């Protein structure tokens, strides 16, 4: 009878492992299928960056025009004042410098290594996560999504 119990335990364990495997693989496949859009090339990324800069400049000009009209002063005076304030703000270093992609990759590797060491992940899972991030499966820095493009430009 103990032999049948161990077979049952083995079957239950295998079934649980199968469910867990599908639970991990299904979202990965879904993300992979979702990323069927081609990755941007260097030239298209540069074009998008130039286009975004132009859109930003246009919005800033519209803002300066509206502000000048509201205050009753010339637009060039408002633009000069905004540029002066922006330069002072940038000089203070209010924003911390963004880590380089290499630094982010190193931090991810450290966190995954610690998770493997703590028994939260297997080495195979950590390797799969690293591979998925490098392939751009996950949104965020290094992948497609909100901050997925070069140095934080949106990937969508």
């Amino acid at each position: 009878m103990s032999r049948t119990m161990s077979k049952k335990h083995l079957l239950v364990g295998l079934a649980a492992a199968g469910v867990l495997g599908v639970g991990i693989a299904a979202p990965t496949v879904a993300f992979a299928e979702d990323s069927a859009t081609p990755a941007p090339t260097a030239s298209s990324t540069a074009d998008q960056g130039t286009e975004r800069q132009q859109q930003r400049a246009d919005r800033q000009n519209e803002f300066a025009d509206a502000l000048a009209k509201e205050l009753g002063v010339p637009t060039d005076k408002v633009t000069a004042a905004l540029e002066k304030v922006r330069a002072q703000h940038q000089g203070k270093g209010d924003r911390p410098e963004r880590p380089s992609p290499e630094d982010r990759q190193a931090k991810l590797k450290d966190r995954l290594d610690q998770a493997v060491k703590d028994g939260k992940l297997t080495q195979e899972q950590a390797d799969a996560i690293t591979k998925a991030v490098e392939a751009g499966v996950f949104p965020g820095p290094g992948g497609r999504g909100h901050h997925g493009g070069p140095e934080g430009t949106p990937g969508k």
Side-chain angles (χ1 to χ4, degrees), residues 4 6-7 10 13-14 22 33 39 60 77 81 87-89 101 124 136 140 147 154-155:
T4 10
S6 66
K7 282 184 181 178
L10 178 65
L14 288 173
V22 170
E33 288 175 1
Q60 289 173 348
K77 198 170 190 177
Q88 289 173 346
H89 197 69
E124 292 78 25
H147 295 287

Side-chain angles (χ1 to χ4, degrees), residues 10-33:
L10 178 65
L11 289 175
V12 168
L14 288 173
V19 169
L20 180 63
V22 170
I24 291 172
T28 304
V29 171
F31 278 124
E33 288 175 1

Side-chain angles (χ1 to χ4, degrees), residues 21-140:
V22 170
I24 291 172
T28 304
V29 171
F31 278 124
E33 288 175 1
D34 190 33
S35 66
T37 56
T41 61
S43 63
S44 70
T45 303
D47 292 342
Q48 288 174 354
T50 304
E51 184 178 320
R52 283 192 188 102
Q53 288 175 345
Q54 183 60 44
Q55 289 173 346
R56 182 177 181 192
D58 292 344
R59 282 193 311 268
Q60 289 173 348
N61 289 337
E62 289 174 16
F63 176 71
D65 288 341
L67 189 58
K69 183 177 178 184
E70 185 67 30
L71 295 174
V73 295
T75 302
D76 58 341
K77 198 170 190 177
V78 171
T79 303
L82 288 171
E83 287 175 5
K84 180 180 175 185
V85 170
R86 189 174 298 119
Q88 289 173 346
H89 197 69
Q90 287 176 345
K92 290 181 182 178
D94 290 344
R95 278 186 159 172
E97 189 172 320
R98 288 186 180 195
S100 70
E102 293 81 19
D103 289 342
R104 290 191 307 263
Q105 190 73 17
K107 282 185 180 182
L108 175 64
K109 182 179 180 340
D110 291 343
R111 290 177 62 199
L112 291 173
D113 288 345
Q114 187 62 47
V116 169
K117 190 176 184 180
D118 293 344
K120 295 178 180 178
L121 291 176
T122 65
Q123 186 60 51
E124 292 78 25
Q125 290 170 325
D127 292 343
I129 292 169
T130 301
K131 208 172 199 181
V133 168
E134 289 171 354
V137 172
F138 295 111

